[in-house]
Amino acid sequence: MTSPEHSPLGQTTVFPHGYDAGLLFPIPRAPQRASLAVPGRLPFHGEDLWTAFELSWLDARGKPLIGIAEFAVPAHSPCLIESKSWKLYLNGFASERYASVAELAAVLRRDLSAAAGAKVEATLYAPRQFPIALAGLPGVCIDALPIDIDCYGPPQPDFLAADSDSAVTECLVSHLLKSNCPVTGQPDWASVQIAYSGPRIEHAGLLRYLISYRQHSDFHEHCVERIFCDVLSRCSPQRLSVYARYTRRGGIDINPFRSSDPLARAPRLREPRQ
């Protein structure tokens, strides 16, 4: 079974003492995308960036090594991978020996690609070599707008509006995105960047819309795809990218990026809360 309620989330779990690729729990993307009226060809491209800060394994002589791993799951993959199952899988490497970092990376790529149904990139870094800068999402922050808020869920796409007589290219940022895990109910906190070209999006309405996720329950990836599709439908931009940097849980952060540009990649940077 591949529905969230059958995943390891929210269940008492015995942590593994060895490698087991069978722990990875794929969840099909199609049912959620059907709720967004996104049949057939997707209106976006992109990737889900995962960063694992608690990865350890043994070298060929049995000495423990540590590293930070970055993974990129393509948005077109048939499945996402449930985060707790991913954590359990990674924990299993703590007692496994590998002759080189390249050997370990190859195993990670193979297993995660099989679970997601598409090629997953995996890059390992020594902690001091981790290249992501603490720079923050570039753009105009809209959080200080003086607006009244009385809706915290479900998401309200009717809040979105754009001025068809005023075309702009701009990048907007909010640090007020919050949703909840659909299984455990735990809060998920994020900063989100919306970059677009087209009719000028009304900033106060966009902020109200993002805050309306506050009591919404869904996975990170699903929230970002919903934001993308709602902005695309309601505001009609010619170009659009949505990027969310979520705070980590259990040593892993998940950062979905969706764009109308097939060549666009998520910038590798970190928010201070991460």
Side-chain angles (χ1 to χ4, degrees):
M1 297 183 180
T2 55
S3 56
E5 61 269 23
H6 297 108
S7 77
L9 269 176
Q11 301 183 29
T12 301
T13 305
V14 177
F15 276 72
H17 295 289
Y19 162 77
D20 182 2
L23 292 168
L24 293 169
F25 190 88
I27 297 176
R29 299 185 191 264
Q32 179 270 341
R33 287 174 173 171
S35 72
L36 298 178
V38 186
R41 185 178 178 182
L42 299 176
F44 48 71
H45 309 269
E47 58 192 345
D48 304 323
L49 294 181
W50 294 61
T51 315
F53 293 91
E54 300 176 3
L55 181 62
S56 182
W57 65 98
L58 306 178
D59 68 12
R61 300 177 65 181
K63 186 177 78 170
L65 300 174
I66 61 171
I68 298 174
E70 184 182 76
F71 307 101
V73 182
H76 68 259
S77 64
C79 297
L80 57 85
I81 302 172
E82 188 276 312
S83 59
K84 185 176 179 180
S85 77
W86 197 319
K87 172 70 173 178
L88 293 171
Y89 163 75
L90 292 178
N91 284 341
F93 288 95
S95 57
E96 300 294 326
R97 298 190 183 204
Y98 292 93
S100 67
V101 171
E103 181 184 357
L104 171 58
V107 173
L108 292 167
R109 293 188 193 101
R110 181 195 67 202
D111 295 344
L112 294 167
S113 298
K119 183 180 178 181
V120 174
E121 299 176 12
T123 307
L124 273 61
Y125 302 95
R128 291 182 179 272
Q129 297 174 337
F130 190 52
I132 297 183
L134 187 65
L137 291 168
V140 176
C141 183
I142 61 176
D143 294 346
L145 292 172
I147 58 174
D148 295 326
I149 302 290
D150 58 7
C151 179
Y152 305 102
Q156 298 293 316
D158 287 346
F159 289 161
L160 295 168
D163 181 0
S164 59
D165 295 326
S166 178
V168 300
T169 294
E170 66 177 351
C171 186
L172 305 175
V173 173
S174 175
H175 304 289
L176 301 185
L177 180 62
K178 173 194 171 289
S179 55
N180 302 298
C181 173
V183 179
T184 67
Q186 294 183 77
D188 295 321
W189 308 91
S191 297
V192 61
Q193 178 195 67
I194 297 174
Y196 74 98
S197 295
R200 185 182 184 277
I201 295 174
E202 202 268 313
H203 291 186
L206 176 61
L207 184 58
R208 289 189 181 95
Y209 167 74
L210 294 173
I211 291 173
S212 73
Y213 278 79
R214 199 165 181 84
Q215 295 175 357
H216 179 63
S217 295
D218 218 335
F219 292 118
H220 301 27
E221 300 92 333
H222 295 171
C223 289
V224 170
E225 291 185 0
R226 184 176 297 276
I227 292 169
F228 184 99
C229 290
D230 284 347
V231 172
L232 186 67
S233 173
R234 300 288 173 142
C235 302
S236 302
Q238 282 77 54
R239 298 180 64 183
L240 175 64
S241 294
V242 178
Y243 187 27
R245 298 289 310 188
Y246 278 86
T247 58
R248 75 185 74 164
R249 182 187 298 157
I252 296 177
D253 62 36
I254 310 168
N255 309 288
F257 174 77
R258 300 292 183 269
S259 178
S260 58
D261 181 355
L263 301 180
R265 298 295 301 271
R268 267 57 171 178
L269 48 79
R270 307 199 67 72
E271 278 291 325
R273 290 189 297 170
Q274 293 188 299

